[in-house]
Amino acid sequence: MSSVDDLSGKKRAILIAAEKCFASQSYEGVSIRDIAHEAGVPIALIGYYFGAKNELYHAIFEYHSSYISERLAALRQARQHSDPATALSNIVNVYILPTLKLKDDEEGNYFSRMVMRGVIDQHEASERISKEFYDPMAREFMAALQEALPHASPESIHWSYQFALGALLHHVLDTRTERLSAGLCPAHQGDLAAPYLVNFIIAGIRSATSGNLA
């Protein structure tokens, strides 16, 4: 049975505590003791429910697997049913907006920051997560871009994905925007940032795939 099949009480408290810890510091910097303290449970209980730290890390993504599956399904839907005139916009929207919506939810914010931190840290546990949960989404996004922009070279599609992810990653992790904008751009309100980020990424993809490189 999956460790998240019957998630309630102390199991849920442990997962939420782990998300908080992994979101705030590197995977290597988080100890089982830290998570137990955050959850208010004995250290041994974490091992009993989830096993080693890497298995607990994986269990968090199992817990959120429906969100990941929904994003992948939305990408496939946009790829198959978008009008050519709006295909690129639809693809970028369904790729970006769920993450911004998640960021605005307190628990979701821990998870989204944890995901992005894993991308930056590139540790062994996050490599497993990338291959299992996120590589299929990356390939679907790039395939959708290639179909929406048939003139684009495969190389430009790959780099477009890479840089789009970079912009999203930075926005999710950055906490300076409210300070730098003197309060005009609150970091916690993704709905305000969404049209700017989406338009920025769309314009970047169009430019990167145009073939007119400096």
Side-chain angles (χ1 to χ4, degrees), residues 46 52 54 60 93 113 154 161 168 198:
I46 296 179
N54 65 316
I60 294 171
N93 271 281
R113 290 178 64 82
Y161 162 75
L168 178 60
V198 167

Side-chain angles (χ1 to χ4, degrees), residues 19 59-69 102 107-108 111:
E19 285 185 7
I60 294 171
F61 288 87
E62 283 188 294
Y63 175 48
H64 289 282
S65 60
S66 61
Y67 156 77
I68 297 169
S69 297
L102 193 70
E107 184 180 340
F111 177 65

Side-chain angles (χ1 to χ4, degrees), residues 93 96-97 100-101 103-104 167-168 171-172 174 177 184-201:
N93 271 281
I96 297 295
L97 296 185
L100 299 190
K101 183 177 180 181
K103 182 178 182 289
D104 281 344
L168 178 60
H171 175 64
V172 169
D174 184 62
T177 179
L184 291 175
C185 304
H188 63 284
Q189 294 185 2
D191 57 333
L192 298 180
Y196 295 100
L197 181 58
V198 167
N199 287 346
F200 178 85
I201 289 173

Side-chain angles (χ1 to χ4, degrees), residues 15-34:
L15 277 193
I16 293 175
E19 285 185 7
K20 289 181 181 180
C21 292
F22 288 129
S24 63
Q25 56 184 308
S26 69
Y27 174 83
E28 290 80 5
V30 174
S31 69
I32 293 296
R33 184 179 297 277
D34 294 331

Side-chain angles (χ1 to χ4, degrees), residues 81-93 148 206:
H81 300 289
S82 292
D83 183 281
T86 59
L88 179 58
S89 176
N90 290 342
I91 291 162
V92 172
N93 271 281
R206 289 196 185 281

